[in-house]
Amino acid sequence: MARYSARRQPAITDSAPCPCGRAATYRDCCGSFHRGETTAPTPERLMRSRYSAFVVHDAAYLLRTWHPATRPADLDFDPDQRWTGLEILGTTGGSAFHSEGSVEFVAHYSERGHADSQHENSRFLRDNGQWVYVSPMPEAGAARTR
């Protein structure tokens, strides 16, 4: 059984702007995915909702939207880390006609007052009709090992 903290950071309320950066309230944007009322229609929306799940410490949602082959047993959130913004740099695939897609993003955060970011190009697949996060894609030009 997965261990996780269901604690949400108090700064994000249903009427607050959604942390994912879209022009909507948390309730009407990523909150509807987190509550299970609907599922993300594209890898980009899933990426945005997963970012928001990190912001609000919703480990259950993160695990539920992680591909079973790469899903960790549990998640721990660093209490000193605050997610501060998301930039979507590009997407591939991910339409109603695709079974896979990718999202390149930069997620900004601060930790103990130090600003930093995570840059990743993530791979997503449809699993039982739902988009799920698989893993980071290898960096272009990275050396391959056998």
Side-chain angles (χ1 to χ4, degrees):
M1 177 173 226
R3 292 180 345 196
Y4 58 87
S5 168
R7 181 176 61 92
R8 293 183 185 261
Q9 294 177 343
I12 306 300
T13 63
D14 277 350
S15 60
C18 194
C20 81
R22 295 183 78 231
T25 64
Y26 172 69
R27 173 185 50 243
D28 295 334
C29 192
C30 294
S32 67
F33 300 139
H34 296 172
R35 291 186 303 272
E37 295 170 357
T38 188
T39 59
T42 65
E44 179 181 346
R45 291 294 304 276
L46 182 60
M47 178 62 240
R48 287 180 179 279
S49 69
R50 287 177 55 81
Y51 170 83
S52 292
F54 275 104
V55 172
V56 300
H57 292 184
D58 190 343
Y61 180 77
L62 290 165
L63 293 170
R64 184 168 76 240
T65 59
W66 211 311
H67 193 278
T70 57
R71 180 187 309 133
D74 60 18
L75 293 173
D76 291 317
F77 297 106
D78 182 343
D80 295 323
Q81 187 176 48
R82 297 286 179 253
W83 295 97
T84 59
L86 177 66
E87 293 177 72
I88 301 296
L89 303 178
T91 63
T92 64
S95 76
F97 303 104
H98 294 107
S99 59
E100 66 180 274
S102 69
V103 179
E104 183 178 7
F105 69 92
V106 177
H108 299 275
Y109 63 91
S110 66
E111 191 166 5
R112 294 179 189 91
H114 174 72
D116 208 342
S117 63
Q118 175 184 340
H119 179 199
E120 182 175 308
N121 194 2
S122 298
R123 181 173 178 229
F124 296 85
L125 294 175
R126 276 195 207 271
D127 184 48
N128 293 318
Q130 307 302 314
W131 287 108
V132 292
Y133 169 77
V134 179
S135 65
M137 295 177 67
E139 292 184 37
R144 291 187 176 174
T145 58
R146 289 187 179 195

